[in-house]
Amino acid sequence: MEELVVYILIYHFYNTVWPIVITDEKIEEVRRPLPELQDAKIARFVSEYGLSREDATILTMARKTADYLDAAVKAGADPKTVANWMLGDLSKMINESGLTFGESKVSPENLAGMIALIEKGTISGKIAKKVIVSMWESGKDADTIVKEEGLVQI
């Protein structure tokens, strides 16, 4: 176990140096509740998700945007595919509506579900562009929309 020793000079009364020992556990306890900073998030998105530095920078400019990406990935979607949808069609809808990713009408889980349908071959990318608009307008998940509108790829 490594310890960090901090020396504090107390001038007023004792005019001496007092060591204060701070353990790794204490440092981690203090660090744990702190939010991840943008530079650390960019580095994580590049190393863990395989995103370009440009895309990672754009997606971490707002905390809610980065949280949206993390949530969609946690729901099982491929990070690069999520980033492409976020930077493309979904971003367009969010900008036009004046909302943020934190207020998006398409939840990260629903976006992940739509991406899963594309990956399974149930719908094509072209059909997905229609599905995401319907998801935005109705709040329904992709699977429900595909079934209701008969959009299954043949």
Side-chain angles (χ1 to χ4, degrees), residues 9 12 20 31-32 47 49 61 67 72 78 80 87 89 94 107 115 118 130 154:
L9 187 58
H12 182 62
I20 297 176
R31 182 182 298 146
R32 195 172 305 118
S47 67
Y49 293 167
M61 289 178 125
D67 291 347
D78 173 68
K80 287 184 178 182
L87 294 171
D89 294 63
I94 284 174
S107 72
I115 291 169
I118 297 168
K130 294 176 185 174
I154 297 174

Side-chain angles (χ1 to χ4, degrees), residues 41-54 56-57:
K41 219 171 256 206
I42 290 169
R44 181 170 62 84
F45 283 7
V46 170
S47 67
E48 287 181 24
Y49 293 167
L51 302 182
S52 71
R53 186 155 186 80
E54 285 178 46
T57 301

